Amino acid sequence: SLIGGDAAWAQKYKQYSLTDAHGALWDPSQDALWAVGKSELVAYSVEGEGINQTLKKLSGMGGTLPSEYGHDLSADMTDVNYLYITTSSAVYRFDKDSNDFSVSYDNASALNMKNVKGFGNNRNGHFFYSIPNGGKGTSWENSSYASWSTNTIYYGYYKTATRFARKVLVSESEAVLYKIRVFEGQYQ
């Protein structure tokens, strides 16, 4: 029991199953909630009001991932028609209009990598991503979280260069990082 009665934040309203759910993103241009799981990308509409709200899976939006273990989901901040989805095998750009997953996009040869845990861009063409490095060179190198974490966030700008330049944005010897998020005040 809760002290002071039933708090609204402690009540379970609805539950939706998505195997190995790893990311969710509200999409104001589609008025939909996107979610990525082990092998699929799905979109939901939010219906109802207050405690009676539900999610309704939208048909014809999303689909089966080209490779398994969907991990991160982010908006392409340069074009509202696209999302980025990472899996164990690749970084895909997803076309919301055609429902196509692609590894053919600007600088995909530099950005399409395996095991990317966090991925995003901003409106100016800057990309940010994280890849586990096992804690190499840190006191947590052989710890239980080293396999999925990193102490480095990579950053690059691709629009003015023919080659993507990788720069280390954060590299603290004892930092333990996982996913990253790019926050844009004018998201879509």
Side-chain angles (χ1 to χ4, degrees):
S1 75
L2 298 171
I3 297 172
D6 293 328
W9 56 266
Q11 294 183 16
K12 182 176 178 180
Y13 296 123
K14 307 286 186 274
Q15 181 173 321
Y16 299 88
S17 296
L18 180 61
T19 303
D20 290 339
H22 258 71
L25 175 72
W26 177 252
D27 184 344
S29 71
Q30 300 277 331
D31 204 25
L33 178 67
W34 291 94
V36 67
K38 177 182 179 181
S39 59
E40 65 181 320
L41 174 68
V42 294
Y44 299 97
S45 64
V46 178
E47 300 184 353
E49 297 290 326
I51 196 167
N52 295 318
Q53 281 185 327
T54 60
L55 295 178
K56 178 182 176 189
K57 190 173 180 180
L58 297 170
S59 62
M61 293 177 70
T64 302
L65 299 176
S67 59
E68 284 199 329
Y69 301 104
H71 200 79
D72 200 13
L73 169 63
S74 61
D76 181 341
M77 295 297 184
T78 65
D79 192 328
V80 298
N81 296 313
Y82 295 94
L83 302 172
Y84 285 103
I85 294 98
T86 71
T87 69
S88 294
S89 303
V91 175
Y92 298 98
R93 191 172 189 228
F94 178 75
D95 185 324
K96 294 187 278 185
D97 292 330
S98 66
N99 277 326
D100 289 329
F101 295 89
S102 177
V103 290
S104 296
Y105 48 87
D106 288 341
N107 266 310
S109 60
L111 293 169
N112 181 20
M113 299 167 275
K114 293 180 179 184
N115 299 317
V116 174
K117 299 296 185 186
F119 187 89
N121 68 342
N122 66 16
R123 293 180 185 275
N124 297 324
H126 299 93
F127 279 88
F128 305 83
Y129 59 92
S130 61
I131 299 174
N133 66 4
K136 290 181 174 52
T138 69
S139 63
W140 48 271
E141 184 170 352
N142 295 310
S143 69
S144 61
Y145 51 74
S147 65
W148 51 262
S149 56
T150 184
N151 63 339
T152 306
I153 300 297
Y154 294 94
Y155 154 83
Y157 182 71
Y158 76 93
K159 288 194 173 191
T160 60
T162 56
R163 192 164 169 257
F164 185 79
R166 286 188 180 99
K167 294 182 180 178
V168 174
L169 184 64
V170 175
S171 187
E172 299 286 333
S173 63
E174 296 304 315
V176 180
L177 307 169
Y178 179 51
K179 283 192 176 185
I180 60 165
R181 285 291 167 260
V182 175
F183 291 98
E184 283 280 347
Q186 294 293 318
Y187 170 56
Q188 297 190 5

mmCIF file of all heavy atoms in Angstrom, residues 78-123:
data_model
loop_
_atom_site.group_PDB
_atom_site.id
_atom_site.type_symbol
_atom_site.label_atom_id
_atom_site.label_comp_id
_atom_site.label_asym_id
_atom_site.label_seq_id
_atom_site.Cartn_x
_atom_site.Cartn_y
_atom_site.Cartn_z
ATOM 1 N N THR A 78 17.014 16.647 -39.850
ATOM 2 C CA THR A 78 17.113 17.440 -41.068
ATOM 3 C C THR A 78 15.943 17.193 -42.011
ATOM 4 O O THR A 78 15.769 17.917 -42.980
ATOM 5 C CB THR A 78 18.432 17.154 -41.824
ATOM 6 O OG1 THR A 78 18.430 15.800 -42.286
ATOM 7 C CG2 THR A 78 19.629 17.416 -40.941
ATOM 8 N N ASP A 79 15.127 16.173 -41.749
ATOM 9 C CA ASP A 79 14.006 15.850 -42.631
ATOM 10 C C ASP A 79 12.948 15.074 -41.852
ATOM 11 O O ASP A 79 13.193 13.946 -41.426
ATOM 12 C CB ASP A 79 14.499 15.024 -43.822
ATOM 13 C CG ASP A 79 13.464 14.885 -44.921
ATOM 14 O OD1 ASP A 79 12.253 14.856 -44.617
ATOM 15 O OD2 ASP A 79 13.865 14.771 -46.088
ATOM 16 N N VAL A 80 11.755 15.639 -41.688
ATOM 17 C CA VAL A 80 10.700 15.023 -40.879
ATOM 18 C C VAL A 80 10.182 13.717 -41.465
ATOM 19 O O VAL A 80 9.463 12.985 -40.793
ATOM 20 C CB VAL A 80 9.501 15.976 -40.644
ATOM 21 C CG1 VAL A 80 9.939 17.211 -39.880
ATOM 22 C CG2 VAL A 80 8.818 16.329 -41.947
ATOM 23 N N ASN A 81 10.539 13.404 -42.694
ATOM 24 C CA ASN A 81 10.055 12.179 -43.332
ATOM 25 C C ASN A 81 10.887 10.944 -42.985
ATOM 26 O O ASN A 81 10.574 9.850 -43.455
ATOM 27 C CB ASN A 81 10.011 12.351 -44.852
ATOM 28 C CG ASN A 81 9.008 13.412 -45.248
ATOM 29 O OD1 ASN A 81 7.886 13.423 -44.758
ATOM 30 N ND2 ASN A 81 9.432 14.327 -46.093
ATOM 31 N N TYR A 82 11.936 11.113 -42.167
ATOM 32 C CA TYR A 82 12.840 9.997 -41.897
ATOM 33 C C TYR A 82 13.095 9.788 -40.405
ATOM 34 O O TYR A 82 13.053 10.726 -39.618
ATOM 35 C CB TYR A 82 14.187 10.216 -42.597
ATOM 36 C CG TYR A 82 14.080 10.217 -44.093
ATOM 37 C CD1 TYR A 82 13.925 11.402 -44.793
ATOM 38 C CD2 TYR A 82 14.126 9.017 -44.812
ATOM 39 C CE1 TYR A 82 13.811 11.408 -46.172
ATOM 40 C CE2 TYR A 82 14.018 9.019 -46.186
ATOM 41 C CZ TYR A 82 13.854 10.214 -46.861
ATOM 42 O OH TYR A 82 13.745 10.200 -48.224
ATOM 43 N N LEU A 83 13.399 8.541 -40.065
ATOM 44 C CA LEU A 83 13.865 8.143 -38.741
ATOM 45 C C LEU A 83 15.182 7.402 -38.913
ATOM 46 O O LEU A 83 15.471 6.886 -39.994
ATOM 47 C CB LEU A 83 12.866 7.179 -38.075
ATOM 48 C CG LEU A 83 11.440 7.639 -37.886
ATOM 49 C CD1 LEU A 83 10.573 6.475 -37.396
ATOM 50 C CD2 LEU A 83 11.390 8.789 -36.901
ATOM 51 N N TYR A 84 15.962 7.318 -37.840
ATOM 52 C CA TYR A 84 17.143 6.456 -37.816
ATOM 53 C C TYR A 84 16.888 5.327 -36.829
ATOM 54 O O TYR A 84 16.396 5.563 -35.725
ATOM 55 C CB TYR A 84 18.403 7.224 -37.409
ATOM 56 C CG TYR A 84 18.931 8.117 -38.504
ATOM 57 C CD1 TYR A 84 18.726 9.485 -38.473
ATOM 58 C CD2 TYR A 84 19.617 7.573 -39.581
ATOM 59 C CE1 TYR A 84 19.195 10.305 -39.488
ATOM 60 C CE2 TYR A 84 20.094 8.387 -40.601
ATOM 61 C CZ TYR A 84 19.877 9.748 -40.549
ATOM 62 O OH TYR A 84 20.334 10.545 -41.551
ATOM 63 N N ILE A 85 17.210 4.115 -37.232
ATOM 64 C CA ILE A 85 17.057 2.935 -36.389
ATOM 65 C C ILE A 85 18.385 2.204 -36.380
ATOM 66 O O ILE A 85 18.978 1.959 -37.440
ATOM 67 C CB ILE A 85 15.951 1.987 -36.905
ATOM 68 C CG1 ILE A 85 14.575 2.654 -36.789
ATOM 69 C CG2 ILE A 85 15.924 0.701 -36.102
ATOM 70 C CD1 ILE A 85 14.101 3.256 -38.046
ATOM 71 N N THR A 86 18.886 1.870 -35.192
ATOM 72 C CA THR A 86 20.115 1.075 -35.113
ATOM 73 C C THR A 86 19.759 -0.344 -34.691
ATOM 74 O O THR A 86 18.804 -0.568 -33.947
ATOM 75 C CB THR A 86 21.133 1.669 -34.116
ATOM 76 O OG1 THR A 86 20.654 1.492 -32.784
ATOM 77 C CG2 THR A 86 21.400 3.143 -34.389
ATOM 78 N N THR A 87 20.534 -1.295 -35.197
ATOM 79 C CA THR A 87 20.413 -2.700 -34.809
ATOM 80 C C THR A 87 21.813 -3.206 -34.490
ATOM 81 O O THR A 87 22.784 -2.453 -34.596
ATOM 82 C CB THR A 87 19.812 -3.569 -35.943
ATOM 83 O OG1 THR A 87 20.755 -3.663 -37.012
ATOM 84 C CG2 THR A 87 18.488 -3.001 -36.452
ATOM 85 N N SER A 88 21.914 -4.471 -34.183
ATOM 86 C CA SER A 88 23.241 -5.047 -33.940
ATOM 87 C C SER A 88 24.104 -5.007 -35.185
ATOM 88 O O SER A 88 25.322 -5.047 -35.100
ATOM 89 C CB SER A 88 23.110 -6.499 -33.478
ATOM 90 O OG SER A 88 22.480 -6.539 -32.237
ATOM 91 N N SER A 89 23.469 -4.917 -36.350
ATOM 92 C CA SER A 89 24.206 -5.021 -37.612
ATOM 93 C C SER A 89 24.369 -3.727 -38.386
ATOM 94 O O SER A 89 25.253 -3.648 -39.241
ATOM 95 C CB SER A 89 23.485 -6.015 -38.531
ATOM 96 O OG SER A 89 23.360 -7.258 -37.902
ATOM 97 N N ALA A 90 23.512 -2.722 -38.165
ATOM 98 C CA ALA A 90 23.541 -1.552 -39.050
ATOM 99 C C ALA A 90 22.850 -0.348 -38.431
ATOM 100 O O ALA A 90 22.146 -0.455 -37.430
ATOM 101 C CB ALA A 90 22.868 -1.900 -40.377
ATOM 102 N N VAL A 91 23.027 0.799 -39.100
ATOM 103 C CA VAL A 91 22.277 2.016 -38.826
ATOM 104 C C VAL A 91 21.440 2.271 -40.075
ATOM 105 O O VAL A 91 21.983 2.518 -41.150
ATOM 106 C CB VAL A 91 23.199 3.222 -38.545
ATOM 107 C CG1 VAL A 91 22.378 4.501 -38.382
ATOM 108 C CG2 VAL A 91 24.060 2.977 -37.321
ATOM 109 N N TYR A 92 20.121 2.173 -39.925
ATOM 110 C CA TYR A 92 19.210 2.338 -41.049
ATOM 111 C C TYR A 92 18.544 3.698 -41.007
ATOM 112 O O TYR A 92 18.257 4.229 -39.940
ATOM 113 C CB TYR A 92 18.097 1.279 -41.009
ATOM 114 C CG TYR A 92 18.604 -0.127 -41.128
ATOM 115 C CD1 TYR A 92 18.789 -0.917 -40.000
ATOM 116 C CD2 TYR A 92 18.903 -0.662 -42.371
ATOM 117 C CE1 TYR A 92 19.251 -2.212 -40.099
ATOM 118 C CE2 TYR A 92 19.379 -1.962 -42.486
ATOM 119 C CZ TYR A 92 19.547 -2.728 -41.347
ATOM 120 O OH TYR A 92 20.025 -4.005 -41.457
ATOM 121 N N ARG A 93 18.268 4.231 -42.182
ATOM 122 C CA ARG A 93 17.420 5.420 -42.305
ATOM 123 C C ARG A 93 16.077 4.915 -42.820
ATOM 124 O O ARG A 93 16.006 4.241 -43.847
ATOM 125 C CB ARG A 93 18.036 6.428 -43.269
ATOM 126 C CG ARG A 93 17.352 7.779 -43.244
ATOM 127 C CD ARG A 93 18.149 8.769 -44.068
ATOM 128 N NE ARG A 93 17.657 10.120 -43.911
ATOM 129 C CZ ARG A 93 17.417 10.938 -44.933
ATOM 130 N NH1 ARG A 93 17.643 10.543 -46.171
ATOM 131 N NH2 ARG A 93 16.991 12.152 -44.712
ATOM 132 N N PHE A 94 15.013 5.230 -42.085
ATOM 133 C CA PHE A 94 13.685 4.730 -42.406
ATOM 134 C C PHE A 94 12.847 5.832 -43.017
ATOM 135 O O PHE A 94 12.714 6.919 -42.446
ATOM 136 C CB PHE A 94 13.004 4.202 -41.138
ATOM 137 C CG PHE A 94 11.613 3.703 -41.351
ATOM 138 C CD1 PHE A 94 11.389 2.489 -41.974
ATOM 139 C CD2 PHE A 94 10.528 4.459 -40.935
ATOM 140 C CE1 PHE A 94 10.092 2.025 -42.175
ATOM 141 C CE2 PHE A 94 9.232 4.004 -41.121
ATOM 142 C CZ PHE A 94 9.014 2.784 -41.751
ATOM 143 N N ASP A 95 12.276 5.572 -44.184
ATOM 144 C CA ASP A 95 11.406 6.506 -44.888
ATOM 145 C C ASP A 95 9.973 6.260 -44.418
ATOM 146 O O ASP A 95 9.395 5.206 -44.700
ATOM 147 C CB ASP A 95 11.532 6.282 -46.395
ATOM 148 C CG ASP A 95 10.758 7.295 -47.209
ATOM 149 O OD1 ASP A 95 9.654 7.712 -46.789
ATOM 150 O OD2 ASP A 95 11.253 7.668 -48.290
ATOM 151 N N LYS A 96 9.384 7.217 -43.706
ATOM 152 C CA LYS A 96 8.046 7.051 -43.149
ATOM 153 C C LYS A 96 6.971 6.988 -44.236
ATOM 154 O O LYS A 96 5.927 6.382 -44.026
ATOM 155 C CB LYS A 96 7.727 8.179 -42.167
ATOM 156 C CG LYS A 96 8.599 8.137 -40.917
ATOM 157 C CD LYS A 96 8.145 9.150 -39.883
ATOM 158 C CE LYS A 96 8.677 10.511 -40.165
ATOM 159 N NZ LYS A 96 8.347 11.494 -39.095
ATOM 160 N N ASP A 97 7.210 7.601 -45.382
ATOM 161 C CA ASP A 97 6.213 7.585 -46.457
ATOM 162 C C ASP A 97 6.173 6.250 -47.195
ATOM 163 O O ASP A 97 5.110 5.739 -47.507
ATOM 164 C CB ASP A 97 6.481 8.712 -47.456
ATOM 165 C CG ASP A 97 6.248 10.085 -46.849
ATOM 166 O OD1 ASP A 97 5.395 10.207 -45.945
ATOM 167 O OD2 ASP A 97 6.929 11.038 -47.279
ATOM 168 N N SER A 98 7.343 5.681 -47.466
ATOM 169 C CA SER A 98 7.389 4.432 -48.246
ATOM 170 C C SER A 98 7.584 3.189 -47.382
ATOM 171 O O SER A 98 7.544 2.076 -47.896
ATOM 172 C CB SER A 98 8.518 4.509 -49.283
ATOM 173 O OG SER A 98 9.775 4.566 -48.626
ATOM 174 N N ASN A 99 7.833 3.378 -46.065
ATOM 175 C CA ASN A 99 8.108 2.259 -45.147
ATOM 176 C C ASN A 99 9.341 1.478 -45.552
ATOM 177 O O ASN A 99 9.398 0.267 -45.372
ATOM 178 C CB ASN A 99 6.903 1.306 -45.026
ATOM 179 C CG ASN A 99 5.890 1.804 -44.035
ATOM 180 O OD1 ASN A 99 6.244 2.409 -43.031
ATOM 181 N ND2 ASN A 99 4.638 1.567 -44.311
ATOM 182 N N ASP A 100 10.335 2.154 -46.087
ATOM 183 C CA ASP A 100 11.571 1.495 -46.515
ATOM 184 C C ASP A 100 12.704 1.766 -45.541
ATOM 185 O O ASP A 100 12.906 2.902 -45.097
ATOM 186 C CB ASP A 100 11.995 1.990 -47.903
ATOM 187 C CG ASP A 100 11.096 1.497 -49.011
ATOM 188 O OD1 ASP A 100 10.550 0.380 -48.882
ATOM 189 O OD2 ASP A 100 10.938 2.222 -50.005
ATOM 190 N N PHE A 101 13.461 0.707 -45.239
ATOM 191 C CA PHE A 101 14.694 0.810 -44.458
ATOM 192 C C PHE A 101 15.841 0.867 -45.446
ATOM 193 O O PHE A 101 15.906 0.057 -46.365
ATOM 194 C CB PHE A 101 14.868 -0.426 -43.569
ATOM 195 C CG PHE A 101 13.826 -0.570 -42.511
ATOM 196 C CD1 PHE A 101 12.650 -1.257 -42.759
ATOM 197 C CD2 PHE A 101 14.018 -0.036 -41.248
ATOM 198 C CE1 PHE A 101 11.686 -1.414 -41.776
ATOM 199 C CE2 PHE A 101 13.069 -0.180 -40.255
ATOM 200 C CZ PHE A 101 11.896 -0.871 -40.525
ATOM 201 N N SER A 102 16.773 1.787 -45.253
ATOM 202 C CA SER A 102 17.871 1.930 -46.204
ATOM 203 C C SER A 102 19.204 2.142 -45.497
ATOM 204 O O SER A 102 19.258 2.736 -44.421
ATOM 205 C CB SER A 102 17.592 3.133 -47.115
ATOM 206 O OG SER A 102 18.664 3.348 -47.996
ATOM 207 N N VAL A 103 20.243 1.654 -46.116
ATOM 208 C CA VAL A 103 21.604 1.975 -45.679
ATOM 209 C C VAL A 103 22.281 2.852 -46.739
ATOM 210 O O VAL A 103 23.484 3.018 -46.734
ATOM 211 C CB VAL A 103 22.442 0.707 -45.374
ATOM 212 C CG1 VAL A 103 21.939 0.020 -44.129
ATOM 213 C CG2 VAL A 103 22.480 -0.229 -46.561
ATOM 214 N N SER A 104 21.469 3.429 -47.619
ATOM 215 C CA SER A 104 21.950 4.379 -48.622
ATOM 216 C C SER A 104 21.451 5.767 -48.246
ATOM 217 O O SER A 104 20.316 6.128 -48.533
ATOM 218 C CB SER A 104 21.431 4.002 -50.017
ATOM 219 O OG SER A 104 21.925 2.769 -50.420
ATOM 220 N N TYR A 105 22.291 6.528 -47.574
ATOM 221 C CA TYR A 105 21.977 7.893 -47.180
ATOM 222 C C TYR A 105 23.287 8.650 -47.110
ATOM 223 O O TYR A 105 24.366 8.051 -47.223
ATOM 224 C CB TYR A 105 21.208 7.950 -45.850
ATOM 225 C CG TYR A 105 21.801 7.110 -44.731
ATOM 226 C CD1 TYR A 105 22.794 7.613 -43.891
ATOM 227 C CD2 TYR A 105 21.369 5.805 -44.507
ATOM 228 C CE1 TYR A 105 23.337 6.853 -42.879
ATOM 229 C CE2 TYR A 105 21.895 5.034 -43.493
ATOM 230 C CZ TYR A 105 22.884 5.557 -42.684
ATOM 231 O OH TYR A 105 23.420 4.803 -41.676
ATOM 232 N N ASP A 106 23.233 9.968 -46.948
ATOM 233 C CA ASP A 106 24.454 10.771 -46.914
ATOM 234 C C ASP A 106 25.453 10.216 -45.910
ATOM 235 O O ASP A 106 25.125 10.045 -44.741
ATOM 236 C CB ASP A 106 24.149 12.233 -46.550
ATOM 237 C CG ASP A 106 23.466 12.980 -47.674
ATOM 238 O OD1 ASP A 106 23.545 12.523 -48.824
ATOM 239 O OD2 ASP A 106 22.844 14.025 -47.385
ATOM 240 N N ASN A 107 26.632 9.914 -46.384
ATOM 241 C CA ASN A 107 27.736 9.386 -45.586
ATOM 242 C C ASN A 107 27.430 8.082 -44.870
ATOM 243 O O ASN A 107 27.975 7.807 -43.803
ATOM 244 C CB ASN A 107 28.267 10.428 -44.608
ATOM 245 C CG ASN A 107 29.434 11.162 -45.207
ATOM 246 O OD1 ASN A 107 30.365 10.535 -45.700
ATOM 247 N ND2 ASN A 107 29.378 12.462 -45.190
ATOM 248 N N ALA A 108 26.584 7.270 -45.452
ATOM 249 C CA ALA A 108 26.292 5.957 -44.874
ATOM 250 C C ALA A 108 27.560 5.116 -44.777
ATOM 251 O O ALA A 108 27.700 4.313 -43.855
ATOM 252 C CB ALA A 108 25.249 5.223 -45.706
ATOM 253 N N SER A 109 28.498 5.317 -45.687
ATOM 254 C CA SER A 109 29.738 4.533 -45.626
ATOM 255 C C SER A 109 30.498 4.779 -44.328
ATOM 256 O O SER A 109 31.213 3.904 -43.847
ATOM 257 C CB SER A 109 30.638 4.842 -46.825
ATOM 258 O OG SER A 109 30.980 6.213 -46.825
ATOM 259 N N ALA A 110 30.318 5.944 -43.724
ATOM 260 C CA ALA A 110 30.985 6.250 -42.458
ATOM 261 C C ALA A 110 30.065 6.046 -41.260
ATOM 262 O O ALA A 110 30.528 5.741 -40.168
ATOM 263 C CB ALA A 110 31.489 7.693 -42.467
ATOM 264 N N LEU A 111 28.758 6.196 -41.448
ATOM 265 C CA LEU A 111 27.819 6.153 -40.328
ATOM 266 C C LEU A 111 27.156 4.800 -40.115
ATOM 267 O O LEU A 111 26.667 4.523 -39.032
ATOM 268 C CB LEU A 111 26.726 7.204 -40.528
ATOM 269 C CG LEU A 111 27.196 8.649 -40.461
ATOM 270 C CD1 LEU A 111 26.103 9.587 -40.938
ATOM 271 C CD2 LEU A 111 27.647 9.003 -39.064
ATOM 272 N N ASN A 112 27.124 3.971 -41.128
ATOM 273 C CA ASN A 112 26.470 2.669 -41.011
ATOM 274 C C ASN A 112 27.433 1.685 -40.353
ATOM 275 O O ASN A 112 28.304 1.127 -40.998
ATOM 276 C CB ASN A 112 26.032 2.162 -42.385
ATOM 277 C CG ASN A 112 25.327 0.838 -42.302
ATOM 278 O OD1 ASN A 112 24.835 0.445 -41.248
ATOM 279 N ND2 ASN A 112 25.289 0.134 -43.412
ATOM 280 N N MET A 113 27.255 1.488 -39.045
ATOM 281 C CA MET A 113 28.158 0.662 -38.255
ATOM 282 C C MET A 113 27.376 -0.382 -37.475
ATOM 283 O O MET A 113 26.175 -0.256 -37.307
ATOM 284 C CB MET A 113 28.935 1.539 -37.266
ATOM 285 C CG MET A 113 29.796 2.582 -37.912
ATOM 286 S SD MET A 113 30.368 3.802 -36.707
ATOM 287 C CE MET A 113 28.981 4.924 -36.676
ATOM 288 N N LYS A 114 28.081 -1.372 -36.969
ATOM 289 C CA LYS A 114 27.478 -2.398 -36.114
ATOM 290 C C LYS A 114 27.456 -1.923 -34.670
ATOM 291 O O LYS A 114 28.282 -1.110 -34.261
ATOM 292 C CB LYS A 114 28.288 -3.700 -36.178
ATOM 293 C CG LYS A 114 28.253 -4.377 -37.517
ATOM 294 C CD LYS A 114 29.071 -5.649 -37.474
ATOM 295 C CE LYS A 114 29.004 -6.344 -38.825
ATOM 296 N NZ LYS A 114 29.696 -7.629 -38.803
ATOM 297 N N ASN A 115 26.512 -2.460 -33.904
ATOM 298 C CA ASN A 115 26.448 -2.295 -32.450
ATOM 299 C C ASN A 115 26.393 -0.856 -31.956
ATOM 300 O O ASN A 115 26.906 -0.551 -30.881
ATOM 301 C CB ASN A 115 27.614 -3.029 -31.794
ATOM 302 C CG ASN A 115 27.565 -4.505 -32.093
ATOM 303 O OD1 ASN A 115 26.505 -5.121 -32.034
ATOM 304 N ND2 ASN A 115 28.702 -5.079 -32.444
ATOM 305 N N VAL A 116 25.768 0.019 -32.711
ATOM 306 C CA VAL A 116 25.600 1.396 -32.267
ATOM 307 C C VAL A 116 24.491 1.427 -31.219
ATOM 308 O O VAL A 116 23.386 0.963 -31.455
ATOM 309 C CB VAL A 116 25.257 2.331 -33.450
ATOM 310 C CG1 VAL A 116 24.932 3.730 -32.958
ATOM 311 C CG2 VAL A 116 26.407 2.358 -34.443
ATOM 312 N N LYS A 117 24.804 1.927 -30.040
ATOM 313 C CA LYS A 117 23.836 1.973 -28.935
ATOM 314 C C LYS A 117 23.032 3.261 -28.925
ATOM 315 O O LYS A 117 21.888 3.280 -28.499
ATOM 316 C CB LYS A 117 24.549 1.807 -27.586
ATOM 317 C CG LYS A 117 25.270 0.497 -27.431
ATOM 318 C CD LYS A 117 24.311 -0.666 -27.439
ATOM 319 C CE LYS A 117 25.032 -1.969 -27.164
ATOM 320 N NZ LYS A 117 24.163 -3.122 -27.296
ATOM 321 N N GLY A 118 23.623 4.354 -29.353
ATOM 322 C CA GLY A 118 22.933 5.632 -29.409
ATOM 323 C C GLY A 118 23.307 6.352 -30.687
ATOM 324 O O GLY A 118 24.467 6.335 -31.098
ATOM 325 N N PHE A 119 22.316 6.982 -31.348
ATOM 326 C CA PHE A 119 22.569 7.630 -32.631
ATOM 327 C C PHE A 119 21.606 8.791 -32.790
ATOM 328 O O PHE A 119 20.423 8.678 -32.472
ATOM 329 C CB PHE A 119 22.334 6.631 -33.769
ATOM 330 C CG PHE A 119 22.727 7.140 -35.126
ATOM 331 C CD1 PHE A 119 24.009 6.972 -35.596
ATOM 332 C CD2 PHE A 119 21.804 7.786 -35.933
ATOM 333 C CE1 PHE A 119 24.379 7.431 -36.850
ATOM 334 C CE2 PHE A 119 22.165 8.257 -37.186
ATOM 335 C CZ PHE A 119 23.449 8.080 -37.645
ATOM 336 N N GLY A 120 22.094 9.915 -33.285
ATOM 337 C CA GLY A 120 21.223 11.049 -33.547
ATOM 338 C C GLY A 120 21.939 12.123 -34.328
ATOM 339 O O GLY A 120 23.167 12.101 -34.478
ATOM 340 N N ASN A 121 21.164 13.060 -34.844
ATOM 341 C CA ASN A 121 21.741 14.201 -35.540
ATOM 342 C C ASN A 121 21.000 15.462 -35.122
ATOM 343 O O ASN A 121 19.988 15.403 -34.428
ATOM 344 C CB ASN A 121 21.696 13.997 -37.062
ATOM 345 C CG ASN A 121 20.289 14.025 -37.643
ATOM 346 O OD1 ASN A 121 19.297 13.865 -36.942
ATOM 347 N ND2 ASN A 121 20.186 14.215 -38.937
ATOM 348 N N ASN A 122 21.527 16.609 -35.558
ATOM 349 C CA ASN A 122 20.815 17.860 -35.320
ATOM 350 C C ASN A 122 20.537 18.523 -36.665
ATOM 351 O O ASN A 122 20.948 18.022 -37.710
ATOM 352 C CB ASN A 122 21.569 18.778 -34.339
ATOM 353 C CG ASN A 122 22.892 19.281 -34.885
ATOM 354 O OD1 ASN A 122 23.171 19.231 -36.071
ATOM 355 N ND2 ASN A 122 23.742 19.779 -33.990
ATOM 356 N N ARG A 123 19.835 19.636 -36.647
ATOM 357 C CA ARG A 123 19.431 20.309 -37.880
ATOM 358 C C ARG A 123 20.602 20.806 -38.709
ATOM 359 O O ARG A 123 20.456 21.078 -39.895
ATOM 360 C CB ARG A 123 18.521 21.489 -37.553
ATOM 361 C CG ARG A 123 17.201 21.081 -36.989
ATOM 362 C CD ARG A 123 16.362 22.319 -36.684
ATOM 363 N NE ARG A 123 15.131 21.946 -36.034
ATOM 364 C CZ ARG A 123 14.033 21.574 -36.669
ATOM 365 N NH1 ARG A 123 14.012 21.533 -37.967
ATOM 366 N NH2 ARG A 123 12.956 21.252 -35.995
#
